[in-house]
Amino acid sequence: MLKGGYMGKILRVNLTEQTYKEEETAVELAKQYIGGAGFGVKYLFDEVPADTDPLGPANKLIFAPGPFSGTAVPCASRIAAVAKSPLTGAVGMALSGGHFPVELKFAGYDALIIEGKAEKPTYVSIKDGKVSFRSAEHLWGTRTSDCQQLIKDQLRDQNTRIVCIGPAGERLVKVACIINERRALGRKGLGAVMGSKNLKAVAVRGSQEVPVYDKEAFKKARSVMTGAMKESHALYPMFSHIGTPAVLDLTCEMGIFSTKNWAGTGQWAPVDKLGVEANNSRKIGREHCYNCPVGCSQIKLAREGSYAGILTEGPEFESIYSLGGTTGIDNLDAVIAADRLCDELGMDTMSAGVAIGFAMELYEKGILTKSDTGGLELHFGNDKAMQELLLDMAYRRGLGDILADGVKLAAEKIGKGSEKYAMHIKGLELPAYDIRGAKAHGLNYATSYTGADHNRGYAFQEIFGIPVPEAVDRFAYAGKGKLTKWNQDVRCVTCDCATMCAFILDMALPGIATQNTADLMQALTGLPFTPEEVQAVGERVNNLARVFNKLAGFSRADDTFPERIMTEPLKEGNSKGQLISKEDLNTMLDEYYAARGWTTEGVPTPEKLRSLGLEDALKKLEP
Amino acid sequence: MLKGGYMGKILRVNLTEQTYKEEETAVELAKQYIGGAGFGVKYLFDEVPADTDPLGPANKLIFAPGPFSGTAVPCASRIAAVAKSPLTGAVGMALSGGHFPVELKFAGYDALIIEGKAEKPTYVSIKDGKVSFRSAEHLWGTRTSDCQQLIKDQLRDQNTRIVCIGPAGERLVKVACIINERRALGRKGLGAVMGSKNLKAVAVRGSQEVPVYDKEAFKKARSVMTGAMKESHALYPMFSHIGTPAVLDLTCEMGIFSTKNWAGTGQWAPVDKLGVEANNSRKIGREHCYNCPVGCSQIKLAREGSYAGILTEGPEFESIYSLGGTTGIDNLDAVIAADRLCDELGMDTMSAGVAIGFAMELYEKGILTKSDTGGLELHFGNDKAMQELLLDMAYRRGLGDILADGVKLAAEKIGKGSEKYAMHIKGLELPAYDIRGAKAHGLNYATSYTGADHNRGYAFQEIFGIPVPEAVDRFAYAGKGKLTKWNQDVRCVTCDCATMCAFILDMALPGIATQNTADLMQALTGLPFTPEEVQAVGERVNNLARVFNKLAGFSRADDTFPERIMTEPLKEGNSKGQLISKEDLNTMLDEYYAARGWTTEGVPTPEKLRSLGLEDALKKLEP
C-alpha cells in the first residue's frame, strides 16, 4: 500500500471494448520505476511485444505523471507519454509540462494506459474516477485549440485539461504530436498512435489531493531544492526572462547552432534575427507550468506583414532551430507563425522543420524539382513555402505526404542519393546542437533509446560548462562514454521518471540531483530511497528500453550518425574543423558500452540485467 | 426603486481618469426605454452631442442588456452596444447574444457606459461590482480568440466573459466590430470606437441573481411565450437544425439573394454550393446563447484544400452573402475561413465582404487595376484574393487601407465613377436581401436610423409570408410606409430594447409580441405596461435616434438607395424586372413619414415628440 506521492490507482482504458478498469499502483513499481517514463517504459515492455505494429491496435499509449506532480515540489508538473514509436520503431517517449499532468493525479491516477482502437472517432472524459467514452466524430478534423475549446464547451467545464491530436495525428502523420493546451508531447509521432486508435482527445478533471507521507521531512527536502533554485542566477532572473532562446545565442557563439539542414553552420549566423533580442521583441507574456516559479515559456506575437497578429506559446529554442535555422529562414515572425501552425495541426515542430530543411536542400541540389514540389520554390529561406508545406504534410498532400513520415522514410522513397541529406538517428530527426562540436552530446544522440534525442542525456557539461560530475572539453572523446551513461541515467530518473523540469536539473541541481530526489521521494512516499537507488532507476529504464529496442531489431549499427556528421567538418566559427569520424564514434561507443556493462555489440549482459532486477527482460532477450 | 428585471445600477467607467462610479437605474428610464438599445440610445442622446467626432474621446460606448437577460425568459440573453458610429456618423447600434450579456447583469449592472480614452492600451475587468483597469499593452495586436484566452488566464478565471477588439479595431478600421466569444457586435464600426479609446477588452464575471417581482404572473406570461415557440414548426425542428443558411435557399428561390456586388442576382445562383445542404455538410455542432432552447448558431469546419480544418461559428446567412454571394465566391470552405478570419481580426463580415465585392466590380470594370491592388487579381470569385484583402483591410495596407473605411468613403477616395458601385445607405453596407424584390424591406433599409440595416425593421411579411399584421404583396408599394413603421417600432422594442432574439419574434411571436412583452415586463418588473406602451417605447427610440441623426446632419436626402437599386432592374429569377424607382421610393417615404407623424422632410414634429415625452429632444431640435 502506497502512502504518499501516488494516488494508488492506474486507469486502464480499452477503446476496442469501450471499457475501463482501475488497477492498484504496485509498491514495487514505484520503488523500481518511480513514475513518468519509468512507468511508461515498464508497461510498454511488459504488455507490447517489440514487433508490434506501432499503428496497430496492439500498441498501447501510456500517460504517466511523476510522484512529485501535484505536490509542493516546484517544476515537477510533467507527464510522460510512452508507446512504440511509429516514427522510429523504437520505444517512443515524450514529456510535457503544463497542467494536464497534475489534473490526472487529481483525478486519482498515477498512470493512464490506453489500449485497443475505437471503432469511430472517440474522446475519453475522466472526472474523479468516472470515465466516459464520447463520440469525437464532430471533432475529427479540428485544429487543436478549437478542439480543446469545443470539448470544454461540451463538458460544460472550462477548467477541464485536455490532451488531443490535430489533423496530422488523424492522418497518421509519423511526425504528429499530442497537444496539451499550447504545449506538445512533441516527438516520436505519438500523435499518430492516438490517431491510429481513433482517439481524438483525453479530457481530465479531478479534485483529489496528492498525499504526503512525512510532511516535515518533505518540507525540509523541498527547501534544499528551492534553495538551490534561488541561488541559481541562471534561473532567476535570467532564464525567467529570456527562456530557451538564450541557447541560440550561446550555441551560435559556440559554432554549434545547426543551419540549412546541417550544411550551413557558421556560414549563416542568425543570432541577430532569431536570438534572444529578437525573441524578446515579440514577447507579450510568460506561461508557468503548475507550481513553477520560473515561467520560462514565452508567449510571442508576430508583428510584421502577413504574419502580424499570429500568437504562439514558443517558439522554444529547438523550434527556432527547426523552423528557422535548418530551413534558413531568419524571419522570426514566419517562425512564430509556423510554430503556431504546427501546434494547431498537431505536428512536431522539430521533426517537421527538419523535414522541410531536408526537402529544401534536395531542391537546391536538384534532387527535387518544381514538378515534385507542386510548384513550390523550395529554396532555403522561403518562409511562404514552409507554411504551405507544413499544411501539405499534415494533410498528406503531394511532397508533404512523403515528408509526413519523417526524413528517413522520405529519403527511402525519394532515393537519388537523398539519404545522405536525411538528418536523423534511428528515424528521429536531429535536434539543434551540432554535435560535431559537442562530442558527448553526439554520443547521447547516437545511443538514446528514443533516437536523436537531446533530452535523454543532455550534456550540460559541454553546453553550459557546468563541471558536474567533472569539467570536460567538448571537443575531446575520452571519458565521453562514461559521462553519457551518467547523463542518461541521472536525467532519466530525475526528469523522465520523477518528471522534474530538465531546466531545473541543469541550472540548479546538477550536483545534488540524485541525493535530493532520494530525500524528496523518501519523505513524500515513505519508501526508502538512497541516491544510488535513485540513479539505478535511471539505469534500469535505459536498460529495459535498450532490450525492447534490441527485440525490435535495433543493434550497434543503429547507434550512429548521419554521414554528414562523420565526413563534413564544420566550416566556420568556434567549432571550425570539427566532425566526429566513424572511428571516433566507435571509440566512444566502446567506452559507453563498457561503462554500461553491455556487450561490444551494445546488448545488455545477463549480469547487468540481473543486477537491475530485470530478469524478465533477460528472459525475453534469451528465451 | 426597481423591483425586478433590473439590477438597479448602471456602471460608468471613465478611461481618461481611470475611475468608475455606480448610478441608480431610474424607474422612469426603465418605463420609457425598457433596456438594451433603448438605454443606449437614450444615454447617447443625452450625453454625446450629435456633432461629436465618433473616434474622439467625447464619444461614449454604452453596453446594455435587457431586463429579460439572465431571467427564465428564453432567447433574451442579448446585449446592445451603442455609440455614434464612425462608419455612418449616425447612431451606431449593434446587438449580440451569447453569455456576456447575462454576465453583466449577474455582475450587478443594467448598463455599462464607457467614457473618455485611456492613455495606453487598457482592458477593464468587472467582477461583482469591483472594477479594475489593467494594462492591455501586451494584448495589443492579438487576435480575438487569443486575446480572450490570455485575459482568462491572467484573471485566473476561465469562466470570465469578454468583449474585445482585434487588430482591426486597434487600427480604427471603420468596419471593425466587437467580438464576444465567437460572436460579434458586428456592424457600424463599434470596434473602432473601442480602439479609439485604447480599450482592448471588457471582462465580466458576476454571481448575482436577476430579481423577479411577481413569480407566478411571470411564469404564466413566460409559458405563453414558450407555448408559442413550441407551436412554431419553423423554430423546431427546422431552424434548430438548419439555422440562418435556410434564408439563402429561400431568397435564392425568391430571386432576391444579392450576388456580385448586386449586379449578378439571378445570373449566378449559388444555392447548391452555399445553401442549407452545403452548410450542413460542414456543420459539426451547434451553439446556444444563454437559456436558449433553439441553438441556431452552427459550428462549421472547412474540409477541402488549404482551408481544411478551419473552424468557425457561422457563417450566418448574412456572412455567406457578404463573403460569398457578393464576392461571387461559391467555395463554402473559403467563406468559412474568411468568416473565422474576420472574427479573429475583429472585422464585420458584412461590411468587409461588401467592400471586397465592391473592389472586385471596380477591378472587373477596369476602375481598379493590378497596380492599385498590389498585384491581386481581384476578379469575382477569387477566394485567395479575398483572404489577402481581409488581412490588408484589418492592417490598413494598400487598397485594404482604403476599403477599411467602408465603401462610401472608399468610393470618394477612388473616384472615377466608383460611387455608383458603392452599395451602402448612410455609409452602412447593404445586407443580403435584394430590396428591389421586397419593397418594405427596402424602405426599412432607407429609413433605419443605423443605415442599411435589415435588423431594425425586418419585413418578415415579405420574406416569410407571415400575414401579421396583415398579408402583403412584396412587389407592391402601397401600405409599405405604415408597415415599415410598425415593423421598426415592434422590432425595436422587443428585440433591441427587451433584447429578445429576432428569430423568436419572426417565427413564434409576430402576432402577440407587444402583448406578451407587456405581460412579461409587468410581471418581471412590477411596473405597469400595456401593449400600446410597449409599442410606444419602440417608437420613442426610433424618434429619439432620428433626432440625433438630424442633428448630426442627416436629412430626407439620406433616406435613399444606391443608384443601382433605382435604375437596374433584376435580370432573372422570381423577381425579374423589379427595381425601386426614385419616384416609388419617394411615394413610400411620403407614406412612411406621414405614418410616423414626421414632416415631409422626415423630421419628427413637435407634436410627435411631445406625445412621446421627448421634450428634451424637441429642445435640442428647436433650441
Side-chain angles (χ1 to χ4, degrees), chain B residues 14-284:
Chain B
N14 188 299
L15 293 168
T16 308
E17 310 291 337
Q18 308 268 295
T19 57
Y20 66 98
K21 59 179 175 181
E22 294 180 346
E23 300 170 2
E24 205 180 309
T25 309
V27 173
E28 199 55 18
L29 181 73
K31 186 86 174 84
Q32 298 289 309
Y33 293 94
I34 289 185
F39 282 15
V41 172
K42 172 65 173 158
Y43 275 103
L44 182 78
F45 189 90
D46 285 353
E47 303 188 5
V48 177
D51 61 355
T52 299
D53 172 9
L55 297 178
N59 199 4
K60 298 191 184 186
L61 178 61
I62 302 117
F63 291 95
F68 301 155
S69 298
T71 72
V73 173
C75 309
S77 169
R78 295 177 64 74
I79 198 163
V82 175
K84 184 177 177 186
S85 163
L87 184 63
T88 65
V91 174
M93 196 280 284
L95 287 146
S96 165
H99 297 264
F100 180 85
V102 295
E103 206 68 34
L104 189 61
K105 294 273 295 267
F106 296 159
Y109 299 112
D110 297 314
L112 164 65
I113 302 172
I114 293 168
E115 308 176 334
K117 177 184 179 177
E119 198 181 335
K120 290 179 176 177
T122 297
Y123 77 93
V124 172
S125 166
I126 301 170
K127 198 166 177 181
D128 269 333
K130 280 185 64 177
V131 179
S132 57
F133 297 84
R134 289 171 171 260
S135 170
E137 288 189 79
H138 62 298
L139 299 173
W140 211 247
T142 55
R143 295 182 174 190
T144 59
S145 67
D146 289 330
C147 173
Q148 293 178 75
Q149 188 58 57
L150 291 170
I151 290 175
K152 288 176 183 176
D153 292 346
Q154 188 169 32
L155 297 176
R156 294 173 185 272
D157 182 356
Q158 298 297 317
N159 291 296
T160 297
R161 303 295 185 175
I162 296 163
V163 286
C164 70
I165 58 171
E170 295 171 6
R171 282 167 183 75
L172 312 183
V173 165
K174 291 189 177 173
V175 300
C177 66
I178 300 171
I179 291 288
N180 153 32
E181 297 186 338
R182 286 180 297 233
R183 290 151 184 278
L185 291 139
R187 308 215 70 198
K188 298 118 203 171
L190 299 183
V193 176
M194 275 183 71
S196 74
K197 296 184 175 305
N198 270 330
L199 181 63
K200 179 71 175 174
V202 178
V204 177
R205 187 74 191 282
S207 62
Q208 298 168 52
E209 270 185 39
V210 181
V212 176
Y213 174 70
D214 181 342
K215 291 202 168 78
E216 269 313 297
F218 185 58
K219 204 171 158 187
K220 201 174 144 198
R222 180 181 172 278
S223 76
V224 172
M225 176 183 174
T226 54
M229 286 173 65
K230 275 184 196 138
E231 274 172 32
S232 165
H233 300 299
L235 272 182
Y236 312 103
M238 191 190 87
F239 194 59
S240 280
H241 287 298
I242 61 181
T244 58
V247 186
L248 191 141
D249 294 38
L250 176 66
T251 51
C252 281
E253 169 62 27
M254 294 168 74
I256 58 166
F257 181 71
S258 303
T259 62
K260 296 186 179 173
N261 200 39
W262 294 63
T265 310
Q267 299 182 299
W268 177 76
V271 66
D272 292 347
K273 294 189 171 168
L274 297 177
V276 164
E277 206 172 317
N279 277 275
N280 274 355
S281 77
R282 298 298 191 257
K283 184 176 153 190
I284 65 162

Side-chain angles (χ1 to χ4, degrees), chain A residues 610-622:
Chain A
R610 277 192 207 103
S611 77
L612 293 165
L614 295 175
E615 287 80 2
D616 285 359
L618 180 58
K619 246 183 257 168
K620 282 197 189 172
L621 198 57
E622 300 179 351

Side-chain angles (χ1 to χ4, degrees), chain A residues 322-391:
Chain A
S322 56
L323 300 169
T326 196
T327 60
I329 293 168
D330 61 5
N331 175 345
L332 183 58
D333 286 338
V335 175
I336 287 171
D339 188 68
R340 173 67 178 261
L341 186 59
C342 284
D343 286 355
E344 292 289 0
L345 299 170
M347 203 156 58
D348 175 25
T349 52
M350 291 173 65
S351 285
V354 172
I356 288 173
F358 163 71
M360 285 174 164
E361 182 164 15
L362 299 190
Y363 186 81
E364 298 232 338
K365 290 215 151 44
I367 296 173
L368 289 177
T369 66
K370 261 195 177 177
S371 71
D372 301 306
T373 65
L376 287 180
E377 293 188 355
L378 259 191
H379 294 291
F380 282 121
N382 186 342
D383 55 298
K384 297 280 181 201
M386 172 168 69
Q387 310 285 331
E388 291 290 320
L389 204 44
L390 287 171
L391 281 164

